[in-house]
Amino acid sequence: MSFSTPRFRRVLLKVSGEALMGNRQYGLDVDMVERVAGEIRSVQSMGVQVCLVIGGGNIFRGISGAATGMERATADYMGMLATVMNALAMQSALERIGVATRVQSAIPMSSICEPYIRRRAVRHMEKGRVVIFAAGTGNPFFTTDTAAALRAVEMGCDALLKGTQVDGVYTADPKKDPRAERYDSLGYLEVLSRDLKVMDASAITLARDNNIPIVVFNLHHAGGFAEVMLGRGLFTIITNEA
């Protein structure tokens, strides 16, 4: 179903760190960061309040560091710092195109960004600013997926959107299995029981317990974010009703 006005008033967009690599093997692709910033601006210009959580896997992934023998908590803290770097890069790209942006970190680092304060973040969005939540939850052993679900709940978001490299949730990896079929809609429990790897289980459970729809779409499709907000294009929506 398509809409003439945005279907959600306030949303959180979860972007993986890998999405910002473009065709690189590591780090940030400036063109890709700027393209994502443009997608965000197009949605914000529709009157939608937008906040973001960005992963850090393009720089350092905590669980990978732990796999090499590094102490897990230390590795996770390093991963959190990677998310701060990505958040600052996105802030810079957004502000270059005229979008007022604030970065709030769950780990206080007052020289470069604000500490996470829920009421302040809500006020920023009410004033038309984009807020980027960095450093995950501030605690080791939690992923940025969980951080995204947590912040979406705290901000009173109408939906949690996950931008990926495919246009929804499939029965299998469509890049590896040409017979994979896309779901238009799913229930939270279906995602968990089928182990569909949309987000980690704690993130799905948080969204389910607070009745926040999760919308999975292709962030690499030009205009895809805005299309989803209008109920158009291809995506998978995960709710209690599916």
Side-chain angles (χ1 to χ4, degrees), residues 2-225:
S2 62
F3 302 82
S4 57
T5 57
R7 62 191 303 194
F8 303 118
R9 176 187 59 89
R10 177 182 295 165
V11 298
L12 185 143
L13 173 64
K14 169 60 166 58
V15 180
S16 70
E18 289 87 348
L20 302 182
M21 289 194 301
N23 294 320
R24 297 166 58 112
Q25 297 299 310
Y26 173 84
L28 289 163
D29 182 301
V30 174
D31 291 340
M32 187 62 193
V33 175
E34 291 178 347
R35 201 182 70 70
V36 174
E39 296 279 326
I40 294 165
R41 180 178 65 174
S42 68
V43 168
Q44 197 209 34
S45 68
M46 298 161 62
V48 179
Q49 297 175 14
V50 182
C51 52
L52 283 83
V53 168
I54 306 175
N58 57 318
I59 298 172
F60 189 88
R61 184 180 293 278
I63 197 167
S64 298
T68 67
M70 185 179 295
E71 198 269 327
R72 175 64 189 270
T74 297
D76 280 352
Y77 281 122
M78 292 173 66
M80 291 179 218
L81 295 178
T83 72
V84 177
M85 295 171 68
N86 284 338
L88 292 173
M90 185 60 69
Q91 179 186 38
S92 177
L94 283 164
E95 292 190 334
R96 282 200 300 274
I97 57 176
V99 179
T101 307
R102 299 291 185 270
V103 173
Q104 291 197 348
S105 172
I107 300 174
M109 44 187 78
S110 58
S111 296
I112 59 174
C113 59
E114 297 179 2
Y116 171 65
I117 300 173
R118 186 186 66 83
R119 291 171 64 93
R120 181 183 291 180
V122 170
R123 188 65 179 139
H124 283 320
M125 284 189 287
E126 290 173 344
K127 290 182 176 180
R129 299 166 184 153
V130 169
V131 181
I132 306 175
F133 300 113
T137 66
N139 301 289
F141 305 101
F142 290 93
T143 68
T144 50
D145 278 350
T146 301
L150 176 63
R151 297 293 184 245
V153 173
E154 290 180 303
M155 292 300 105
C157 289
D158 301 314
L160 165 56
L161 285 88
K162 181 165 184 179
T164 68
Q165 298 183 47
V166 292
D167 51 12
V169 181
Y170 283 77
T171 54
D173 186 343
K175 294 183 177 180
K176 298 178 180 178
D177 185 353
R179 296 172 298 177
E181 297 182 1
R182 185 180 60 82
Y183 297 100
D184 287 325
S185 61
L186 284 164
Y188 301 111
L189 292 178
E190 286 182 275
V191 172
L192 294 171
S193 63
R194 297 180 186 179
D195 196 23
L196 292 174
K197 306 295 185 184
V198 177
M199 303 179 90
D200 63 54
S202 57
I204 298 292
T205 301
L206 259 175
R208 182 193 65 185
D209 290 348
N210 293 277
N211 201 28
I212 295 179
I214 300 172
V215 182
V216 182
F217 71 103
N218 187 352
L219 186 64
H220 296 268
H221 171 61
F225 189 13

